[in-house]
Amino acid sequence: MMMITDREAKGRGRASSRARLKLTGALLLLTVVFALLGGWQVQRLFWKLDLIARVEARVHAQPTPAPTRAEWNEISGEKDEYRRVTATGAFSHNKSVLVQAVTERGAGFWVLTPMLREDGSTVLINRGFVPSDRREVGDRAGGELAGNVTVTGLLRISEPGGAFLRSNDPAHDRWFSRDVVAIAAAKGLQDIAPYFIDADAAPNPGELPIGGLTIVRFRNSHLVYALTWFSLAIMSAAGAYLVYRQRIKAG
């Protein structure tokens, strides 16, 4: 039978005590980290709620004239996106692009058409949705408005690059996002606004394109994340207490 001396027993006891102390320290550190992360998520929650309230106010406000050339440098998504605006000018239908879309009406395309304004600048108008089987101009010719028109809608910020796993292909006129700069370059548009406008639900002749399908919705999971982090902090604190108490009992 193997005998354990008092010195060896004390040594093992001290090692076990140090291990428990280190584990307690690690758990306390995790408690602090998780609590900080929970606090950060609470801050994000209030920021998101404030953003939602501001956007809701913009969406339901009276429309104002779309920003002019002198205001373009001051536009930002945080303060301008989803503003209700109006724009007046003539459409250049021959330079329209179709951007793939999935809406409450199914799969199809957004029809983005340049509008030439009286000051010589151009703004892209998302005139609305057309189903896949009506993508050809001949199938929706009634909606090709001529002359000066006024459009009311929501100001939107450019969507560069493309969609998830799908890049815009200007060379083949395939578009997956409403990238103002890329569309302007592909269609030879000059002096173009750095935003586009989603037209409202005012009906077009021939009922196409269908406007007013913009979805204004923000994902807000910050409360769930905060509760998760705070729960982990409580569990870590409880674990630290239990380990430390065992260390005290062990002497």
Side-chain angles (χ1 to χ4, degrees), residues 119-153:
D119 65 357
S121 65
T122 299
V123 60
L124 276 179
I125 307 294
N126 176 14
R127 301 187 59 225
F129 172 80
V130 293
S132 299
D133 60 356
R134 302 287 296 278
R135 63 177 296 174
E136 299 300 330
V137 174
D139 294 327
R140 49 184 172 84
E144 303 289 278
L145 301 173
N148 275 359
V149 295
T150 297
V151 172
T152 300

Short mmCIF file of all heavy atoms in Angstrom, two decimals, residues 119-153:
data_model
loop_
_atom_site.label_atom_id
_atom_site.label_comp_id
_atom_site.label_asym_id
_atom_site.label_seq_id
_atom_site.Cartn_x
_atom_site.Cartn_y
_atom_site.Cartn_z
N ASP A 119 -32.64 71.44 -62.47
CA ASP A 119 -31.32 72.03 -62.22
C ASP A 119 -30.21 71.28 -62.95
O ASP A 119 -29.03 71.59 -62.78
CB ASP A 119 -31.04 72.09 -60.72
CG ASP A 119 -30.94 70.71 -60.08
OD1 ASP A 119 -31.14 69.70 -60.79
OD2 ASP A 119 -30.65 70.63 -58.87
N GLY A 120 -30.57 70.28 -63.75
CA GLY A 120 -29.58 69.52 -64.52
C GLY A 120 -29.05 68.28 -63.81
O GLY A 120 -28.33 67.48 -64.41
N SER A 121 -29.39 68.12 -62.55
CA SER A 121 -28.94 66.93 -61.81
C SER A 121 -29.87 65.76 -62.08
O SER A 121 -30.98 65.92 -62.59
CB SER A 121 -28.88 67.22 -60.30
OG SER A 121 -30.18 67.46 -59.80
N THR A 122 -29.41 64.59 -61.71
CA THR A 122 -30.18 63.36 -61.93
C THR A 122 -30.35 62.63 -60.61
O THR A 122 -29.43 62.59 -59.78
CB THR A 122 -29.45 62.44 -62.93
OG1 THR A 122 -29.33 63.11 -64.18
CG2 THR A 122 -30.23 61.14 -63.15
N VAL A 123 -31.52 62.05 -60.41
CA VAL A 123 -31.76 61.22 -59.24
C VAL A 123 -32.41 59.93 -59.70
O VAL A 123 -33.27 59.93 -60.57
CB VAL A 123 -32.64 61.94 -58.19
CG1 VAL A 123 -34.00 62.31 -58.77
CG2 VAL A 123 -32.82 61.08 -56.94
N LEU A 124 -31.95 58.81 -59.13
CA LEU A 124 -32.55 57.51 -59.46
C LEU A 124 -33.86 57.34 -58.69
O LEU A 124 -33.91 57.56 -57.48
CB LEU A 124 -31.60 56.38 -59.10
CG LEU A 124 -30.52 56.00 -60.12
CD1 LEU A 124 -29.67 54.86 -59.56
CD2 LEU A 124 -31.11 55.61 -61.45
N ILE A 125 -34.89 56.94 -59.40
CA ILE A 125 -36.19 56.69 -58.79
C ILE A 125 -36.49 55.20 -58.88
O ILE A 125 -36.52 54.62 -59.97
CB ILE A 125 -37.32 57.47 -59.49
CG1 ILE A 125 -36.99 58.96 -59.58
CG2 ILE A 125 -38.65 57.22 -58.77
CD1 ILE A 125 -36.93 59.67 -58.25
N ASN A 126 -36.69 54.57 -57.72
CA ASN A 126 -37.18 53.20 -57.70
C ASN A 126 -38.69 53.30 -57.89
O ASN A 126 -39.44 53.52 -56.93
CB ASN A 126 -36.84 52.51 -56.38
CG ASN A 126 -37.42 51.12 -56.28
OD1 ASN A 126 -37.87 50.55 -57.28
ND2 ASN A 126 -37.42 50.57 -55.08
N ARG A 127 -39.14 53.14 -59.12
CA ARG A 127 -40.55 53.37 -59.44
C ARG A 127 -41.44 52.27 -58.89
O ARG A 127 -42.66 52.45 -58.80
CB ARG A 127 -40.73 53.51 -60.95
CG ARG A 127 -39.91 54.67 -61.54
CD ARG A 127 -40.22 54.90 -63.00
NE ARG A 127 -41.64 55.19 -63.15
CZ ARG A 127 -42.41 54.64 -64.08
NH1 ARG A 127 -41.92 53.75 -64.93
NH2 ARG A 127 -43.69 54.96 -64.16
N GLY A 128 -40.87 51.14 -58.51
CA GLY A 128 -41.67 50.08 -57.93
C GLY A 128 -41.32 48.72 -58.47
O GLY A 128 -40.30 48.53 -59.14
N PHE A 129 -42.19 47.78 -58.19
CA PHE A 129 -41.96 46.36 -58.46
C PHE A 129 -42.70 45.90 -59.71
O PHE A 129 -43.84 46.30 -59.97
CB PHE A 129 -42.44 45.56 -57.24
CG PHE A 129 -42.45 44.08 -57.43
CD1 PHE A 129 -41.29 43.32 -57.31
CD2 PHE A 129 -43.64 43.42 -57.72
CE1 PHE A 129 -41.31 41.95 -57.47
CE2 PHE A 129 -43.67 42.04 -57.88
CZ PHE A 129 -42.50 41.31 -57.76
N VAL A 130 -42.03 45.03 -60.48
CA VAL A 130 -42.69 44.31 -61.57
C VAL A 130 -42.39 42.82 -61.40
O VAL A 130 -41.27 42.45 -61.06
CB VAL A 130 -42.23 44.78 -62.97
CG1 VAL A 130 -42.66 46.21 -63.23
CG2 VAL A 130 -40.73 44.63 -63.14
N PRO A 131 -43.39 41.95 -61.61
CA PRO A 131 -43.13 40.51 -61.52
C PRO A 131 -42.22 40.04 -62.64
O PRO A 131 -42.08 40.73 -63.67
CB PRO A 131 -44.53 39.89 -61.62
CG PRO A 131 -45.37 40.93 -62.28
CD PRO A 131 -44.80 42.26 -61.90
N SER A 132 -41.64 38.89 -62.46
CA SER A 132 -40.67 38.38 -63.43
C SER A 132 -41.24 38.26 -64.84
O SER A 132 -40.53 38.49 -65.82
CB SER A 132 -40.13 37.02 -62.97
OG SER A 132 -39.48 37.13 -61.72
N ASP A 133 -42.52 37.91 -64.95
CA ASP A 133 -43.09 37.72 -66.28
C ASP A 133 -43.53 39.03 -66.94
O ASP A 133 -44.09 39.02 -68.03
CB ASP A 133 -44.28 36.76 -66.22
CG ASP A 133 -45.39 37.25 -65.30
OD1 ASP A 133 -45.21 38.31 -64.65
OD2 ASP A 133 -46.44 36.59 -65.24
N ARG A 134 -43.27 40.17 -66.26
CA ARG A 134 -43.60 41.48 -66.84
C ARG A 134 -42.36 42.37 -66.90
O ARG A 134 -42.49 43.59 -66.95
CB ARG A 134 -44.69 42.16 -66.00
CG ARG A 134 -45.99 41.38 -65.87
CD ARG A 134 -46.79 41.36 -67.13
NE ARG A 134 -47.25 42.70 -67.52
CZ ARG A 134 -48.33 43.29 -67.00
NH1 ARG A 134 -49.05 42.68 -66.06
NH2 ARG A 134 -48.69 44.48 -67.43
N ARG A 135 -41.20 41.78 -66.92
CA ARG A 135 -39.97 42.55 -66.89
C ARG A 135 -39.71 43.30 -68.19
O ARG A 135 -39.07 44.35 -68.19
CB ARG A 135 -38.77 41.67 -66.57
CG ARG A 135 -38.48 40.59 -67.61
CD ARG A 135 -37.23 39.81 -67.27
NE ARG A 135 -36.04 40.65 -67.30
CZ ARG A 135 -34.83 40.26 -66.94
NH1 ARG A 135 -34.66 39.03 -66.47
NH2 ARG A 135 -33.80 41.08 -67.02
N GLU A 136 -40.19 42.79 -69.32
CA GLU A 136 -39.94 43.43 -70.61
C GLU A 136 -40.76 44.72 -70.72
O GLU A 136 -41.91 44.78 -70.27
CB GLU A 136 -40.30 42.50 -71.75
CG GLU A 136 -39.49 41.21 -71.77
CD GLU A 136 -37.99 41.45 -71.92
OE1 GLU A 136 -37.63 42.47 -72.55
OE2 GLU A 136 -37.20 40.64 -71.40
N VAL A 137 -40.16 45.74 -71.32
CA VAL A 137 -40.82 47.04 -71.44
C VAL A 137 -42.16 46.91 -72.15
O VAL A 137 -43.15 47.55 -71.77
CB VAL A 137 -39.91 48.04 -72.18
CG1 VAL A 137 -40.65 49.35 -72.43
CG2 VAL A 137 -38.63 48.28 -71.40
N GLY A 138 -42.23 46.06 -73.16
CA GLY A 138 -43.48 45.89 -73.91
C GLY A 138 -44.61 45.35 -73.07
O GLY A 138 -45.79 45.56 -73.39
N ASP A 139 -44.28 44.67 -71.96
CA ASP A 139 -45.31 44.10 -71.10
C ASP A 139 -45.81 45.09 -70.04
O ASP A 139 -46.73 44.79 -69.28
CB ASP A 139 -44.78 42.86 -70.39
CG ASP A 139 -44.49 41.73 -71.37
OD1 ASP A 139 -45.22 41.62 -72.37
OD2 ASP A 139 -43.52 40.97 -71.13
N ARG A 140 -45.17 46.27 -69.98
CA ARG A 140 -45.58 47.29 -69.01
C ARG A 140 -45.45 48.69 -69.60
O ARG A 140 -45.17 49.66 -68.90
CB ARG A 140 -44.72 47.18 -67.75
CG ARG A 140 -43.22 47.12 -68.02
CD ARG A 140 -42.41 46.91 -66.74
NE ARG A 140 -41.00 46.68 -67.04
CZ ARG A 140 -40.10 47.64 -67.25
NH1 ARG A 140 -40.47 48.92 -67.21
NH2 ARG A 140 -38.85 47.35 -67.52
N ALA A 141 -45.69 48.77 -70.90
CA ALA A 141 -45.48 50.04 -71.61
C ALA A 141 -46.36 51.16 -71.08
O ALA A 141 -45.99 52.34 -71.13
CB ALA A 141 -45.74 49.84 -73.11
N GLY A 142 -47.52 50.82 -70.53
CA GLY A 142 -48.42 51.86 -70.03
C GLY A 142 -47.84 52.66 -68.89
O GLY A 142 -48.27 53.80 -68.65
N GLY A 143 -46.88 52.11 -68.20
CA GLY A 143 -46.28 52.80 -67.07
C GLY A 143 -45.11 53.69 -67.42
O GLY A 143 -44.51 54.32 -66.54
N GLU A 144 -44.77 53.79 -68.71
CA GLU A 144 -43.64 54.61 -69.13
C GLU A 144 -44.09 56.07 -69.26
O GLU A 144 -44.44 56.54 -70.34
CB GLU A 144 -43.08 54.10 -70.47
CG GLU A 144 -42.66 52.64 -70.44
CD GLU A 144 -41.40 52.43 -69.61
OE1 GLU A 144 -40.30 52.66 -70.14
OE2 GLU A 144 -41.53 52.00 -68.45
N LEU A 145 -44.10 56.79 -68.16
CA LEU A 145 -44.61 58.16 -68.11
C LEU A 145 -43.70 59.10 -68.87
O LEU A 145 -42.48 59.05 -68.75
CB LEU A 145 -44.75 58.61 -66.66
CG LEU A 145 -45.67 57.76 -65.78
CD1 LEU A 145 -45.58 58.22 -64.33
CD2 LEU A 145 -47.09 57.84 -66.28
N ALA A 146 -44.32 60.01 -69.66
CA ALA A 146 -43.56 60.99 -70.44
C ALA A 146 -43.74 62.38 -69.84
O ALA A 146 -44.70 62.64 -69.12
CB ALA A 146 -44.04 60.98 -71.89
N GLY A 147 -42.78 63.27 -70.14
CA GLY A 147 -42.86 64.65 -69.65
C GLY A 147 -42.51 64.75 -68.18
O GLY A 147 -42.10 63.79 -67.53
N ASN A 148 -42.65 65.95 -67.65
CA ASN A 148 -42.34 66.19 -66.25
C ASN A 148 -43.37 65.52 -65.33
O ASN A 148 -44.57 65.64 -65.55
CB ASN A 148 -42.29 67.68 -65.95
CG ASN A 148 -40.93 68.28 -66.26
OD1 ASN A 148 -40.01 67.58 -66.68
ND2 ASN A 148 -40.79 69.57 -66.06
N VAL A 149 -42.87 64.84 -64.33
CA VAL A 149 -43.73 64.21 -63.33
C VAL A 149 -43.16 64.51 -61.95
O VAL A 149 -41.97 64.81 -61.80
CB VAL A 149 -43.82 62.68 -63.53
CG1 VAL A 149 -44.49 62.34 -64.84
CG2 VAL A 149 -42.43 62.05 -63.46
N THR A 150 -44.00 64.44 -60.94
CA THR A 150 -43.57 64.61 -59.56
C THR A 150 -43.75 63.30 -58.82
O THR A 150 -44.83 62.69 -58.87
CB THR A 150 -44.36 65.72 -58.86
OG1 THR A 150 -44.11 66.97 -59.51
CG2 THR A 150 -43.95 65.84 -57.39
N VAL A 151 -42.70 62.86 -58.16
CA VAL A 151 -42.70 61.60 -57.42
C VAL A 151 -42.53 61.89 -55.94
O VAL A 151 -41.69 62.71 -55.54
CB VAL A 151 -41.56 60.67 -57.89
CG1 VAL A 151 -41.45 59.44 -57.00
CG2 VAL A 151 -41.79 60.25 -59.33
N THR A 152 -43.35 61.25 -55.14
CA THR A 152 -43.21 61.30 -53.68
C THR A 152 -42.79 59.93 -53.19
O THR A 152 -43.32 58.91 -53.66
CB THR A 152 -44.54 61.70 -53.01
OG1 THR A 152 -44.93 62.99 -53.48
CG2 THR A 152 -44.38 61.76 -51.49
N GLY A 153 -41.85 59.90 -52.28
CA GLY A 153 -41.39 58.60 -51.78
C GLY A 153 -40.40 58.76 -50.66
O GLY A 153 -40.28 59.84 -50.05
#
